[in-house]
Amino acid sequence: MIIEAFLRWVETAKTADRAAAASALGRVYLRSEMSVERRDAAEKAMTYLLDDPSPRVRLALAEAIAWAPHAPRNIILSLAEDQPEIACHAVTCSPLLTDADLVDLAARGSGTTRMLIAARAHVTRPVSAALAEVGDEDEVLCLLENDGASISAQSLKRIAERLGDISDIRNLLLDRSDLPADARQLLTQHVSNALVGLPLAQAAIGLQRLQRISREATEAAIVSIAGDIAPTEVPDLVEHLRLNERLTPSFLMYALCCGKVEFFCCAIVNLSDCSDRRVRAILATGRMHAVRALYESAGLPRDISIIFVEATFLWREASRKTSASLLSSICGRLLQKFHNRIGQHDAVGELLDMVEKLHVAEQRRSARVYASLAAA
Protein backbone atom coordinates (compact mmCIF):
# COMPACT_ATOMS: atom_id res chain seq x y z
CA MET A 1 0.00 0.00 0.00
CA ILE A 2 2.84 2.43 0.79
CA ILE A 3 4.45 2.05 -2.62
CA GLU A 4 1.10 2.39 -4.35
CA ALA A 5 0.35 5.60 -2.45
CA PHE A 6 3.81 6.97 -3.26
CA LEU A 7 3.41 6.21 -6.95
CA ARG A 8 0.03 7.94 -7.06
CA TRP A 9 1.51 10.99 -5.33
CA VAL A 10 4.49 11.13 -7.71
CA GLU A 11 2.19 11.36 -10.70
CA THR A 12 0.96 14.83 -9.66
CA ALA A 13 3.72 16.20 -7.40
CA LYS A 14 5.88 19.13 -8.47
CA THR A 15 9.50 18.61 -9.46
CA ALA A 16 10.89 20.18 -6.29
CA ASP A 17 8.67 17.96 -4.15
CA ARG A 18 9.65 14.84 -6.07
CA ALA A 19 13.34 15.70 -5.68
CA ALA A 20 12.89 16.19 -1.92
CA ALA A 21 11.02 12.90 -1.69
CA ALA A 22 13.76 11.09 -3.65
CA SER A 23 16.43 12.43 -1.28
CA ALA A 24 14.42 11.55 1.81
CA LEU A 25 13.60 8.10 0.47
CA GLY A 26 17.28 7.37 -0.19
CA ARG A 27 18.38 8.53 3.27
CA VAL A 28 15.65 6.53 5.00
CA TYR A 29 16.58 3.42 3.04
CA LEU A 30 20.22 3.70 4.14
CA ARG A 31 19.85 4.83 7.74
CA SER A 32 16.63 3.36 9.09
CA GLU A 33 15.81 -0.12 10.33
CA MET A 34 13.10 -1.37 8.02
CA SER A 35 11.28 -4.63 7.59
CA VAL A 36 12.00 -6.68 4.50
CA GLU A 37 8.66 -5.66 3.01
CA ARG A 38 9.25 -1.94 3.59
CA ARG A 39 12.78 -2.20 2.24
CA ASP A 40 11.53 -3.91 -0.93
CA ALA A 41 8.87 -1.22 -1.28
CA ALA A 42 11.45 1.57 -0.89
CA GLU A 43 13.71 -0.03 -3.47
CA LYS A 44 10.83 -0.31 -5.94
CA ALA A 45 10.03 3.35 -5.38
CA MET A 46 13.64 4.39 -6.03
CA THR A 47 13.72 2.20 -9.13
CA TYR A 48 10.60 3.94 -10.37
CA LEU A 49 12.25 7.35 -9.82
CA LEU A 50 15.04 6.38 -12.23
CA ASP A 51 12.55 7.08 -15.03
CA ASP A 52 11.51 10.47 -13.66
CA PRO A 53 11.58 13.02 -16.50
CA SER A 54 13.34 15.63 -14.37
CA PRO A 55 17.13 15.32 -13.87
CA ARG A 56 16.71 17.10 -10.52
CA VAL A 57 14.88 14.10 -9.11
CA ARG A 58 17.47 11.58 -10.27
CA LEU A 59 20.27 13.87 -9.06
CA ALA A 60 18.72 14.07 -5.60
CA LEU A 61 18.53 10.28 -5.47
CA ALA A 62 22.15 9.92 -6.61
CA GLU A 63 23.39 12.41 -4.00
CA ALA A 64 21.57 10.50 -1.28
CA ILE A 65 22.74 6.94 -1.98
CA ALA A 66 25.75 6.90 -4.37
CA TRP A 67 28.38 6.76 -1.61
CA ALA A 68 26.81 3.92 0.38
CA PRO A 69 28.16 0.33 0.26
CA HIS A 70 24.70 -1.12 0.93
CA ALA A 71 22.75 0.92 -1.61
CA PRO A 72 20.80 -1.13 -4.19
CA ARG A 73 23.33 -2.14 -6.83
CA ASN A 74 20.84 -2.11 -9.71
CA ILE A 75 20.01 1.53 -8.96
CA ILE A 76 23.69 2.52 -8.75
CA LEU A 77 24.36 0.88 -12.13
CA SER A 78 21.52 2.84 -13.69
CA LEU A 79 22.63 6.13 -12.14
CA ALA A 80 26.18 5.53 -13.40
CA GLU A 81 24.87 5.60 -16.97
CA ASP A 82 22.71 8.68 -16.53
CA GLN A 83 23.71 12.14 -17.77
CA PRO A 84 27.10 13.36 -16.48
CA GLU A 85 26.01 15.57 -13.58
CA ILE A 86 24.02 12.63 -12.19
CA ALA A 87 26.42 9.84 -13.12
CA CYS A 88 29.39 11.62 -11.52
CA HIS A 89 28.16 10.74 -8.01
CA ALA A 90 27.90 7.03 -8.74
CA VAL A 91 30.98 6.74 -10.95
CA THR A 92 33.36 8.63 -8.66
CA CYS A 93 32.04 7.52 -5.26
CA SER A 94 30.19 4.22 -5.31
CA PRO A 95 32.03 1.24 -3.81
CA LEU A 96 29.52 -1.07 -5.50
CA LEU A 97 30.99 -0.63 -8.99
CA THR A 98 33.34 -3.52 -9.70
CA ASP A 99 36.38 -3.45 -11.97
CA ALA A 100 34.27 -5.12 -14.65
CA ASP A 101 31.60 -2.42 -14.31
CA LEU A 102 34.16 0.37 -14.61
CA VAL A 103 35.95 -1.22 -17.56
CA ASP A 104 32.60 -1.59 -19.33
CA LEU A 105 31.70 2.02 -18.58
CA ALA A 106 35.09 3.18 -19.87
CA ALA A 107 34.63 1.26 -23.12
CA ARG A 108 31.02 2.31 -23.77
CA GLY A 109 30.89 5.70 -22.08
CA SER A 110 31.85 9.18 -23.14
CA GLY A 111 35.05 11.06 -22.40
CA THR A 112 33.33 12.60 -19.40
CA THR A 113 32.54 9.16 -18.01
CA ARG A 114 36.15 8.07 -18.45
CA MET A 115 37.32 11.25 -16.74
CA LEU A 116 35.09 10.45 -13.75
CA ILE A 117 36.48 6.93 -13.58
CA ALA A 118 40.06 8.25 -13.72
CA ALA A 119 39.27 10.59 -10.82
CA ARG A 120 38.09 7.85 -8.42
CA ALA A 121 39.90 7.73 -5.09
CA HIS A 122 41.23 4.27 -5.97
CA VAL A 123 41.73 3.08 -9.54
CA THR A 124 42.87 -0.53 -9.91
CA ARG A 125 45.26 -1.82 -12.56
CA PRO A 126 42.57 -3.42 -14.78
CA VAL A 127 40.63 -0.15 -14.85
CA SER A 128 43.79 1.85 -15.53
CA ALA A 129 44.59 -0.52 -18.38
CA ALA A 130 41.19 0.17 -19.96
CA LEU A 131 41.70 3.93 -19.65
CA ALA A 132 45.21 3.64 -21.08
CA GLU A 133 43.78 1.81 -24.08
CA VAL A 134 40.80 4.03 -24.95
CA GLY A 135 41.26 7.26 -22.99
CA ASP A 136 41.96 10.56 -24.72
CA GLU A 137 44.42 13.21 -23.57
CA ASP A 138 42.34 14.71 -20.75
CA GLU A 139 41.30 11.36 -19.27
CA VAL A 140 44.86 9.99 -19.31
CA LEU A 141 46.20 13.21 -17.77
CA CYS A 142 43.64 12.83 -14.97
CA LEU A 143 44.69 9.20 -14.46
CA LEU A 144 48.41 10.04 -14.31
CA GLU A 145 47.77 12.88 -11.86
CA ASN A 146 45.70 10.64 -9.56
CA ASP A 147 47.86 9.43 -6.66
CA GLY A 148 45.27 6.73 -5.96
CA ALA A 149 45.63 5.13 -9.39
CA SER A 150 47.61 1.91 -9.69
CA ILE A 151 49.06 1.68 -13.19
CA SER A 152 51.01 -1.31 -14.48
CA ALA A 153 54.22 -1.03 -16.48
CA GLN A 154 52.40 -2.34 -19.56
CA SER A 155 49.75 0.36 -19.25
CA LEU A 156 52.41 3.06 -18.89
CA LYS A 157 54.04 1.77 -22.05
CA ARG A 158 50.70 1.80 -23.85
CA ILE A 159 50.14 5.42 -22.82
CA ALA A 160 53.62 6.26 -24.11
CA GLU A 161 52.81 4.57 -27.43
CA ARG A 162 49.45 6.29 -27.89
CA LEU A 163 49.94 9.73 -26.38
CA GLY A 164 53.66 10.20 -25.80
CA ASP A 165 53.76 12.98 -28.39
CA ILE A 166 51.73 15.21 -26.01
CA SER A 167 54.17 17.14 -23.83
CA ASP A 168 52.04 17.21 -20.66
CA ILE A 169 51.55 13.45 -20.73
CA ARG A 170 55.20 12.88 -21.61
CA ASN A 171 56.36 14.99 -18.66
CA LEU A 172 54.09 13.15 -16.22
CA LEU A 173 55.36 9.80 -17.47
CA LEU A 174 59.00 10.82 -17.21
CA ASP A 175 58.46 11.98 -13.63
CA ARG A 176 57.43 8.46 -12.60
CA SER A 177 60.02 6.23 -10.98
CA ASP A 178 58.12 3.12 -12.15
CA LEU A 179 58.19 4.01 -15.85
CA PRO A 180 59.73 1.00 -17.68
CA ALA A 181 62.79 1.50 -19.82
CA ASP A 182 61.07 0.59 -23.10
CA ALA A 183 58.46 3.28 -22.42
CA ARG A 184 61.22 5.83 -21.79
CA GLN A 185 62.74 4.90 -25.13
CA LEU A 186 59.38 5.46 -26.83
CA LEU A 187 59.18 8.92 -25.29
CA THR A 188 62.64 9.81 -26.59
CA GLN A 189 61.46 8.73 -30.02
CA HIS A 190 58.41 10.99 -29.76
CA VAL A 191 60.68 13.93 -28.91
CA SER A 192 62.96 13.06 -31.81
CA ASN A 193 60.04 12.88 -34.23
CA ALA A 194 58.73 16.22 -33.00
CA LEU A 195 62.14 17.80 -33.59
CA VAL A 196 62.42 16.44 -37.12
CA GLY A 197 58.90 17.64 -37.88
CA LEU A 198 59.58 21.29 -36.97
CA PRO A 199 59.50 23.41 -40.16
CA LEU A 200 61.81 26.02 -38.63
CA ALA A 201 64.41 23.39 -37.71
CA GLN A 202 64.19 21.86 -41.18
CA ALA A 203 64.72 25.26 -42.80
CA ALA A 204 67.64 26.18 -40.53
CA ILE A 205 69.51 22.87 -40.50
CA GLY A 206 68.20 20.87 -43.43
CA LEU A 207 66.08 17.75 -43.24
CA GLN A 208 68.87 15.23 -43.88
CA ARG A 209 71.19 16.69 -41.24
CA LEU A 210 68.30 17.09 -38.84
CA GLN A 211 67.41 13.41 -39.21
CA ARG A 212 71.02 12.42 -38.53
CA ILE A 213 71.21 14.64 -35.43
CA SER A 214 67.89 13.24 -34.23
CA ARG A 215 69.05 9.64 -34.75
CA GLU A 216 72.30 10.23 -32.88
CA ALA A 217 70.53 11.98 -30.02
CA THR A 218 68.03 9.13 -29.76
CA GLU A 219 70.81 6.54 -29.64
CA ALA A 220 72.62 8.55 -26.95
CA ALA A 221 69.42 8.73 -24.91
CA ILE A 222 68.83 4.97 -25.20
CA VAL A 223 72.39 4.19 -24.10
CA SER A 224 71.94 6.54 -21.16
CA ILE A 225 68.67 4.82 -20.22
CA ALA A 226 70.32 1.40 -20.53
CA GLY A 227 72.97 2.41 -18.02
CA ASP A 228 70.50 3.64 -15.41
CA ILE A 229 67.90 0.88 -15.27
CA ALA A 230 67.82 -2.23 -13.11
CA PRO A 231 69.33 -5.39 -14.65
CA THR A 232 65.91 -7.05 -14.60
CA GLU A 233 64.58 -4.42 -17.02
CA VAL A 234 67.37 -4.79 -19.58
CA PRO A 235 65.97 -7.84 -21.45
CA ASP A 236 62.61 -6.10 -22.01
CA LEU A 237 64.36 -2.99 -23.34
CA VAL A 238 66.56 -5.07 -25.64
CA GLU A 239 63.57 -7.00 -27.00
CA HIS A 240 61.66 -3.76 -27.55
CA LEU A 241 64.61 -2.31 -29.49
CA ARG A 242 65.02 -5.47 -31.54
CA LEU A 243 61.36 -5.49 -32.55
CA ASN A 244 61.73 -1.85 -33.61
CA GLU A 245 64.92 -2.66 -35.59
CA ARG A 246 67.08 -0.37 -33.48
CA LEU A 247 69.80 -2.90 -32.60
CA THR A 248 71.93 -1.72 -35.49
CA PRO A 249 75.72 -2.25 -35.66
CA SER A 250 76.38 1.44 -34.98
CA PHE A 251 74.09 1.40 -31.95
CA LEU A 252 75.70 -1.75 -30.58
CA MET A 253 79.15 -0.24 -31.06
CA TYR A 254 77.95 2.90 -29.27
CA ALA A 255 76.86 0.80 -26.29
CA LEU A 256 80.13 -1.19 -26.24
CA CYS A 257 82.35 1.89 -26.44
CA CYS A 258 80.38 3.53 -23.63
CA GLY A 259 80.94 0.50 -21.43
CA LYS A 260 77.25 -0.45 -21.11
CA VAL A 261 78.30 -4.07 -20.74
CA GLU A 262 75.10 -5.40 -19.16
CA PHE A 263 73.01 -4.01 -21.99
CA PHE A 264 75.51 -5.07 -24.68
CA CYS A 265 75.66 -8.64 -23.36
CA CYS A 266 71.90 -8.89 -23.26
CA ALA A 267 71.66 -7.57 -26.83
CA ILE A 268 74.13 -10.18 -28.11
CA VAL A 269 72.23 -12.90 -26.22
CA ASN A 270 69.01 -11.77 -27.86
CA LEU A 271 70.49 -11.61 -31.37
CA SER A 272 72.63 -14.76 -31.25
CA ASP A 273 70.39 -17.15 -29.31
CA CYS A 274 73.43 -18.17 -27.24
CA SER A 275 73.00 -18.56 -23.51
CA ASP A 276 73.68 -15.61 -21.27
CA ARG A 277 76.43 -17.48 -19.46
CA ARG A 278 78.25 -18.40 -22.68
CA VAL A 279 78.04 -14.86 -24.10
CA ARG A 280 79.46 -13.34 -20.93
CA ALA A 281 82.26 -15.90 -20.82
CA ILE A 282 83.28 -15.25 -24.44
CA LEU A 283 83.16 -11.48 -24.07
CA ALA A 284 85.19 -11.58 -20.86
CA THR A 285 87.86 -14.13 -21.71
CA GLY A 286 87.27 -15.57 -25.20
CA ARG A 287 89.98 -15.59 -27.84
CA MET A 288 89.69 -13.70 -31.11
CA HIS A 289 88.07 -16.47 -33.17
CA ALA A 290 85.48 -17.24 -30.46
CA VAL A 291 84.55 -13.57 -30.09
CA ARG A 292 84.33 -13.12 -33.83
CA ALA A 293 82.16 -16.23 -34.22
CA LEU A 294 79.87 -14.92 -31.49
CA TYR A 295 79.38 -11.60 -33.25
CA GLU A 296 78.75 -13.24 -36.60
CA SER A 297 76.18 -15.53 -34.99
CA ALA A 298 74.44 -12.33 -33.83
CA GLY A 299 74.12 -11.25 -37.47
CA LEU A 300 77.07 -8.88 -37.78
CA PRO A 301 78.80 -9.02 -41.20
CA ARG A 302 82.36 -10.34 -41.25
CA ASP A 303 84.03 -7.02 -42.11
CA ILE A 304 82.19 -5.30 -39.23
CA SER A 305 82.73 -8.16 -36.79
CA ILE A 306 86.50 -7.51 -36.98
CA ILE A 307 85.98 -4.01 -35.58
CA PHE A 308 83.73 -5.35 -32.81
CA VAL A 309 86.39 -7.92 -31.86
CA GLU A 310 89.00 -5.19 -31.58
CA ALA A 311 86.63 -3.00 -29.57
CA THR A 312 85.98 -5.91 -27.21
CA PHE A 313 89.68 -6.44 -26.55
CA LEU A 314 90.13 -2.68 -26.04
CA TRP A 315 87.20 -2.67 -23.61
CA ARG A 316 88.77 -5.51 -21.60
CA GLU A 317 92.03 -3.59 -21.35
CA ALA A 318 90.48 -0.20 -20.66
CA SER A 319 88.09 -1.55 -18.02
CA ARG A 320 91.08 -2.60 -15.91
CA LYS A 321 92.31 0.99 -15.85
CA THR A 322 90.69 3.99 -14.17
CA SER A 323 93.05 6.75 -15.22
CA ALA A 324 91.34 7.65 -18.47
CA SER A 325 87.84 7.78 -19.92
CA LEU A 326 86.69 4.37 -21.09
CA LEU A 327 84.85 5.88 -24.04
CA SER A 328 87.77 8.08 -25.12
CA SER A 329 90.25 5.24 -24.77
CA ILE A 330 88.30 2.72 -26.82
CA CYS A 331 87.26 5.18 -29.54
CA GLY A 332 90.71 6.71 -29.88
CA ARG A 333 92.50 3.39 -30.22
CA LEU A 334 89.90 2.00 -32.62
CA LEU A 335 90.42 4.99 -34.87
CA GLN A 336 94.20 4.47 -34.75
CA LYS A 337 93.80 0.79 -35.59
CA PHE A 338 91.48 1.32 -38.57
CA HIS A 339 92.57 4.80 -39.68
CA ASN A 340 92.86 3.66 -43.29
CA ARG A 341 89.16 2.69 -43.37
CA ILE A 342 87.79 6.04 -42.10
CA GLY A 343 85.77 7.92 -44.69
CA GLN A 344 85.03 4.94 -46.88
CA HIS A 345 81.51 4.79 -48.27
CA ASP A 346 80.63 1.37 -46.90
CA ALA A 347 79.33 -0.19 -43.68
CA VAL A 348 82.78 -0.12 -42.07
CA GLY A 349 83.27 3.54 -42.98
CA GLU A 350 79.88 4.47 -41.52
CA LEU A 351 80.64 2.59 -38.32
CA LEU A 352 84.02 4.29 -37.90
CA ASP A 353 82.43 7.65 -38.67
CA MET A 354 80.10 7.10 -35.72
CA VAL A 355 83.06 6.13 -33.52
CA GLU A 356 84.89 9.29 -34.56
CA LYS A 357 81.89 11.44 -33.64
CA LEU A 358 81.76 9.72 -30.25
CA HIS A 359 85.46 10.37 -29.76
CA VAL A 360 85.16 14.07 -30.64
CA ALA A 361 82.14 14.51 -28.37
CA GLU A 362 83.97 12.84 -25.47
CA GLN A 363 87.05 14.99 -25.99
CA ARG A 364 84.93 18.13 -25.89
CA ARG A 365 83.19 16.92 -22.74
CA SER A 366 86.54 16.22 -21.08
CA ALA A 367 87.80 19.67 -22.05
CA ARG A 368 84.75 21.29 -20.48
CA VAL A 369 85.25 19.31 -17.27
CA TYR A 370 88.94 20.27 -17.15
CA ALA A 371 88.15 23.94 -17.73
CA SER A 372 85.50 23.90 -15.02
CA LEU A 373 87.88 22.32 -12.49
CA ALA A 374 90.67 24.74 -13.41
CA ALA A 375 88.36 27.71 -12.97
CA ALA A 376 87.21 26.42 -9.60
Side-chain angles (χ1 to χ4, degrees):
M1 294 299 293
I2 295 175
I3 183 62
E4 293 174 356
F6 177 80
L7 296 179
R8 285 196 299 270
W9 173 81
V10 163
E11 291 295 329
T12 58
K14 295 180 179 179
T15 298
D17 294 333
R18 298 199 309 275
S23 179
L25 183 60
R27 292 196 304 271
V28 168
Y29 181 89
L30 296 177
R31 299 173 185 172
S32 300
E33 293 185 4
M34 306 169 68
S35 65
V36 175
E37 292 78 9
R38 285 178 176 269
R39 184 167 293 276
D40 288 344
E43 187 172 334
K44 286 185 174 67
M46 289 189 290
T47 303
Y48 180 79
L49 290 176
L50 293 173
D51 294 322
D52 194 284
S54 173
R56 288 177 57 189
V57 176
R58 305 194 302 278
L59 176 60
L61 181 60
E63 290 174 338
I65 69 170
W67 57 271
H70 51 286
R73 175 173 155 79
N74 64 304
I75 296 177
I76 294 297
L77 289 173
S78 297
L79 291 172
E81 298 196 60
D82 211 315
Q83 57 195 61
E85 63 269 25
I86 298 169
C88 70
H89 296 280
V91 174
T92 58
C93 300
S94 178
L96 296 175
L97 295 177
T98 65
D99 286 353
D101 297 328
L102 294 169
V103 168
D104 187 52
L105 283 170
R108 295 188 297 107
S110 63
T112 301
T113 300
R114 289 189 288 272
M115 180 78 79
L116 296 173
I117 295 171
R120 284 174 67 91
H122 301 286
V123 184
T124 63
R125 288 192 170 195
V127 178
S128 293
L131 293 172
E133 191 64 39
V134 301
D136 293 328
E137 176 182 352
D138 290 339
E139 298 114 64
V140 173
L141 278 172
C142 183
L143 179 69
L144 293 173
E145 291 171 345
N146 185 353
D147 293 335
S150 177
I151 310 175
S152 69
Q154 188 60 38
S155 294
L156 291 173
K157 181 181 177 181
R158 184 59 179 144
I159 293 172
E161 288 174 344
R162 294 184 58 239
L163 302 169
D165 57 331
I166 300 170
S167 60
D168 288 342
I169 289 178
R170 187 166 60 244
N171 292 337
L172 286 172
L173 286 172
L174 290 172
D175 285 341
R176 298 182 67 100
S177 60
D178 59 344
L179 183 68
D182 48 2
R184 288 186 183 276
Q185 189 279 320
L186 281 170
L187 295 178
T188 65
Q189 190 61 52
H190 280 301
V191 174
S192 176
N193 294 341
L195 174 64
V196 172
L198 288 174
L200 180 61
Q202 292 180 11
I205 301 176
L207 180 59
Q208 187 173 3
R209 186 182 176 198
L210 188 61
Q211 289 173 334
R212 179 178 60 79
I213 293 172
S214 172
R215 183 181 66 255
E216 292 172 357
T218 301
E219 289 182 349
I222 297 171
V223 170
S224 177
I225 291 169
D228 294 336
I229 61 177
T232 54
E233 287 190 78
V234 174
D236 288 338
L237 175 59
V238 167
E239 178 64 9
H240 168 78
L241 294 172
R242 184 187 67 80
L243 292 174
N244 286 274
E245 299 181 346
R246 300 199 69 90
L247 293 180
T248 61
S250 64
F251 177 70
L252 292 173
M253 178 61 72
Y254 194 159
L256 179 58
C257 290
C258 290
K260 308 299 182 184
V261 183
E262 185 68 32
F263 174 84
F264 184 78
C265 286
C266 192
I268 298 301
V269 169
N270 185 292
L271 293 170
S272 67
D273 290 330
C274 292
S275 69
D276 181 82
R277 184 175 180 178
R278 177 167 174 76
V279 168
R280 290 178 186 276
I282 292 175
L283 291 179
T285 60
R287 295 181 180 274
M288 183 188 70
H289 294 297
V291 177
R292 185 170 179 175
L294 173 65
Y295 287 141
E296 291 180 8
S297 72
L300 293 176
R302 177 168 286 266
D303 53 349
I304 288 179
S305 69
I306 298 173
I307 301 177
F308 272 85
V309 170
E310 186 66 26
T312 302
F313 291 146
L314 290 173
W315 162 73
R316 289 180 189 173
E317 182 180 346
S319 63
R320 292 192 291 266
K321 303 176 182 179
T322 57
S323 58
S325 163
L326 186 73
L327 177 59
S328 179
S329 176
I330 296 175
C331 291
R333 295 180 65 181
L334 267 181
L335 294 172
Q336 290 176 3
K337 177 80 173 180
F338 298 99
H339 66 277
N340 60 322
R341 303 292 301 272
I342 298 174
Q344 293 185 359
H345 299 292
D346 57 11
V348 174
E350 291 179 5
L351 187 62
L352 292 172
D353 181 60
M354 185 278 300
V355 172
E356 187 174 39
K357 286 185 173 64
L358 271 181
H359 187 48
V360 171
E362 180 61 16
Q363 287 180 317
R364 293 180 64 178
R365 187 197 68 81
S366 297
R368 287 194 296 269
V369 172
Y370 177 81
S372 177
L373 292 174

